[in-house]
Amino acid sequence: MKIYISADIEGVGGVARHEHSRVDGREYPLARRLMTNEVNAAIGGAFEAGAMDVTVSDSHNVGLNLLPEELDERARLVMGSPRTLSMMHGIDATYSAAFFVGYHAMGGTMDASIVHTFTGRIQEVRLNGIKVGEIGLNAALAGHFGVPVAFVAGDLAACREAEALLPGVRTLAVKEAIGAYAAICEHPARTCRAIHAAAMEAITNPPKVKPLVFSGEVELTVRCTTASGADRAGMIPRAERLDDLTVQYVGRDVIEAFKAFNTMSCLVELVPFI
């Protein structure tokens, strides 16, 4: 059994503000340790439940957050960027399930920790008309290979988002946001014990959750926060500008649609043209 773990930082317990999530933030060193500990809890639970192979994707910022020397040595680590499939790079049909650890809700969600969808310069993303955030985008990439998302750990809003999109998925809320930049958290040790137990349960008693599959052509719609961002996103061949802020792209499958989105998210982050 192979397990793929995609790990972000905004949904980690004990993380509440940009001082935690930004690499120049005063609390970032602490957040890295908290993130590493939660991922280790998931890895340990997976192996204890019978997994033979675990791959971890460091999926926050440029992928240099987890402390490699402190990561469970049984797991392999995908780190750095850019990556073609970003937070899910390396996922394929050989994996039995995917776990999302430290995940947050999509941009614009109320009472959710440090929300965004890849970048704060993107307001909204839709796949075939379905509004998705990082949970949905990454679940769709896993689903392309027939891999279900069996377990999601993050803030309460992220768990609710996952449950609505992926009926039956096992979730664990490690904190409850009380606004965009404040949260009620459990002690990190308790959080890690809970993640370890939930990861084990996701393997020994697999949830009845189906892979999120988008068959055939996939219509990607991206609404930017500025017209200049849409200008740049619209430079991609075959992209169509729908209005001042919205760009659409039709991919042959969800992989191509995601590659277009990944490129758009990079472009909209560029400094405005002079």
Side-chain angles (χ1 to χ4, degrees), residues 41-117:
I43 295 170
F47 277 116
E48 192 169 336
M52 302 299 293
D53 186 298
V54 174
T55 297
V56 176
S57 170
D58 188 332
S59 299
H60 176 64
N61 196 265
V62 295
L64 299 176
N65 309 280
L66 293 169
L67 301 169
E69 73 279 11
E70 295 184 16
L71 198 68
D72 189 314
E73 64 183 33
R74 294 171 293 180
R76 290 173 297 170
L77 176 62
V78 181
M79 61 191 301
S81 64
R83 308 178 212 158
T84 305
L85 295 187
S86 190
M87 301 172 76
M88 297 298 289
H89 196 85
I91 189 71
D92 61 34
T94 65
Y95 288 91
S96 303
F99 293 174
F100 294 167
V101 176
Y103 265 55
H104 57 83
M106 70 179 75
T109 304
M110 178 181 172
D111 289 335
S113 286
I114 322 176
V115 296
H116 58 282
T117 302

Side-chain angles (χ1 to χ4, degrees), residues 113-130:
S113 286
I114 322 176
V115 296
H116 58 282
T117 302
F118 271 66
T119 168
R121 294 180 182 270
I122 291 176
Q123 284 189 44
E124 182 182 284
V125 181
R126 291 181 181 269
L127 294 177
N128 287 354
I130 300 172

Side-chain angles (χ1 to χ4, degrees), residues 10 64 83 104 106 132 167 169 176 180 213 222:
E10 289 90 353
L64 299 176
R83 308 178 212 158
H104 57 83
M106 70 179 75
V132 293
V169 67
E176 180 180 355
V213 177
V222 177

